[in-house]
Amino acid sequence: MPDTTPHRITFANEKGGTGKSTTAVHVAVALAYQGARVAAIDLDPRQRTMDRYFENRAETTANRGIDLPTAHCAVFRGETIEEFDAMAEEMGQGVDFLIVDTPGRDDLFARHAATEADTLVTPMNDSFVDFDLIGQVDSETFKVRRLSFYAELIWETRKMRAIQQRKEIDWVVVRNRSGHTEARNMQRIERALGELSKRAGFRVAKGLSERVIYRELFPSGFTLLDKGHLGELGTSHLVARQEMRSLLASLNLPAHSKPEPTLELA
Ligand SMILES: Nc1ncnc2c1ncn2[C@@H]1O[C@H](COP(=O)(O)OP(=O)(O)OP(=O)(O)O)[C@@H](O)[C@H]1O
Ligand SMILES: [Mg+2]
């Protein structure tokens, strides 16, 4: 791929703590492992979880004298959309992917980054509470009662983009941190998500399961993909890497400059 516009992946859910930053870092590192050039913008100057993750990663690799694939990350601290656009333009120079991690709250820049995404990833936990971001479904029939302002915004953006003949937004709702939901609730969630996906126009993909290791990796900046640096790992981590591989595949991202024959995550 020549040096043109990078593919933008925005991680957004106005609900907090759904795993946006954790998933964003893992996707960024997985792409870097494939040989892609990846830049990342953290839109949360207060928490700056993604930025701190990459900072920790840089520190650990420097301390250990090792070299690991990573992304160039920066925090947006500007005050206008124009400033954000300028930063995205600059960070996007010479990279294949520009990843934007957004705060878990209603935020002007997060909404803008969502409408500018080529792939919009919305991590969601298996709970009806989390559905409210997208719309309300009837508790008995699972028919959609009302789409949220957010879903309407994406809908309007898509119409606008079609008129402007710009690339479509691929909206992927990622079911994250699954594992603790009992079967009946899971079925209900699946039906309700199916209804909502038709109305709001997103696809559903399986994300990362609930695993303690995701919480433990942050201080070192390691990811599950950093084989050989994580100490003794049990088989559950092999399953976790497989999950990561499936998630990446289901995002259907475009090919980039230096595709490796396979992504060796296991
Ligand atoms: N798959 C997972 N398994 C276990 N813990 C997880 C998983 N994903 C995220 N976490 C933990 O849950 C918390 C929230 O995750 P994270 O910061 O990625 O969410 P977020 O959506 O970015 O939050 P915010 O909305 O505050 O930005 C963190 O403590 C993180 O380590
Ligand atoms: Mg976050």
Side-chain angles (χ1 to χ4, degrees), residues 3 41 47 54 62 71 139 158 160 179-180 185 196 236 242 265:
D3 277 354
I41 300 179
Q47 287 195 34
F54 281 115
S139 57
R158 284 177 154 156
M160 190 65 80
H180 292 305
N185 184 44
L196 262 182
S236 81
Q242 182 54 42
L265 297 180

Side-chain angles (χ1 to χ4, degrees), residues 37-100:
R37 297 161 300 177
V38 187
I41 300 179
D42 190 332
L43 271 186
D44 196 339
R46 269 191 269 163
Q47 287 195 34
R48 55 181 201 90
T49 309
M50 182 170 74
D51 189 52
R52 288 182 50 227
Y53 209 120
F54 281 115
E55 242 172 44
N56 295 346
R57 187 170 178 81
E59 208 178 298
T60 303
T61 47
N63 288 344
R64 294 201 185 182
I66 52 175
D67 197 16
L68 289 177
T70 193
H72 169 224
C73 184
V75 182
F76 175 67
R77 297 182 192 279
E79 285 170 8
T80 63
I81 295 290
E82 289 71 27
E83 283 175 275
F84 171 77
D85 286 341
M87 182 177 180
E89 173 84 32
E90 198 190 317
M91 296 276 297
Q93 298 287 325
V95 299
D96 303 302
F97 295 95
L98 179 64
I99 289 185
V100 183

Side-chain angles (χ1 to χ4, degrees), residues 2-244:
D3 277 354
T4 51
T5 326
H7 187 89
R8 286 199 195 186
I9 314 172
T10 299
F11 289 81
N13 186 335
E14 294 182 358
K15 184 168 183 307
T18 58
K20 292 177 286 297
S21 303
T22 305
T23 314
V25 168
H26 275 79
V27 167
V29 170
L31 288 168
Y33 263 108
Q34 287 184 328
R37 297 161 300 177
V38 187
I41 300 179
D42 190 332
L43 271 186
D44 196 339
R46 269 191 269 163
Q47 287 195 34
R48 55 181 201 90
T49 309
M50 182 170 74
D51 189 52
R52 288 182 50 227
Y53 209 120
F54 281 115
E55 242 172 44
N56 295 346
R57 187 170 178 81
E59 208 178 298
T60 303
T61 47
N63 288 344
R64 294 201 185 182
I66 52 175
D67 197 16
L68 289 177
T70 193
H72 169 224
C73 184
V75 182
F76 175 67
R77 297 182 192 279
E79 285 170 8
T80 63
I81 295 290
E82 289 71 27
E83 283 175 275
F84 171 77
D85 286 341
M87 182 177 180
E89 173 84 32
E90 198 190 317
M91 296 276 297
Q93 298 287 325
V95 299
D96 303 302
F97 295 95
L98 179 64
I99 289 185
V100 183
D101 184 28
T102 68
R105 56 176 181 268
D106 174 10
D107 176 88
L108 175 71
F109 302 109
R111 288 193 175 172
H112 178 66
T115 63
E116 288 295 304
D118 299 307
T119 303
L120 173 61
V121 181
T122 300
M124 208 168 90
N125 299 338
D126 274 350
S127 148
F128 280 105
V129 178
D130 283 23
F131 278 32
D132 258 12
L133 171 89
I134 301 169
Q136 285 174 7
V137 287
D138 185 275
S139 57
E140 300 289 330
T141 63
F142 303 107
K143 292 284 175 230
V144 179
R145 280 200 197 132
R146 187 174 71 79
L147 285 186
S148 70
F149 178 81
Y150 193 83
E152 296 284 0
L153 173 78
I154 304 300
W155 193 260
E156 288 305 317
T157 305
R158 284 177 154 156
K159 278 201 294 198
M160 190 65 80
R161 281 210 194 187
I163 294 166
Q164 297 167 341
Q165 299 192 322
R166 282 180 64 192
K167 217 182 337 177
E168 269 187 55
I169 303 180
D170 185 15
W171 188 8
V172 191
V173 169
V174 167
R175 292 174 66 183
N176 237 6
R177 310 188 59 177
S178 50
H180 292 305
T181 323
E182 51 107 5
R184 204 162 54 105
N185 184 44
M186 194 97 95
Q187 272 178 4
R188 285 182 164 170
I189 300 264
E190 261 161 33
R191 272 182 64 197
L193 255 186
E195 283 295 319
L196 262 182
S197 69
K198 280 184 258 160
R199 268 290 290 282
F202 57 79
R203 318 188 269 123
V204 182
K206 175 148 177 18
L208 313 176
S209 318
E210 179 75 25
R211 288 176 204 278
V212 176
I213 190 156
Y214 288 115
R215 273 172 271 168
E216 291 176 341
L217 291 171
F218 175 80
S220 64
F222 284 136
T223 67
L224 264 184
L225 319 181
D226 303 312
K227 268 194 305 179
H229 300 284
L230 305 175
E232 280 298 307
L233 294 179
T235 47
S236 81
H237 300 103
L238 297 181
V239 180
R241 285 203 194 104
Q242 182 54 42
E243 269 174 15
M244 192 57 228

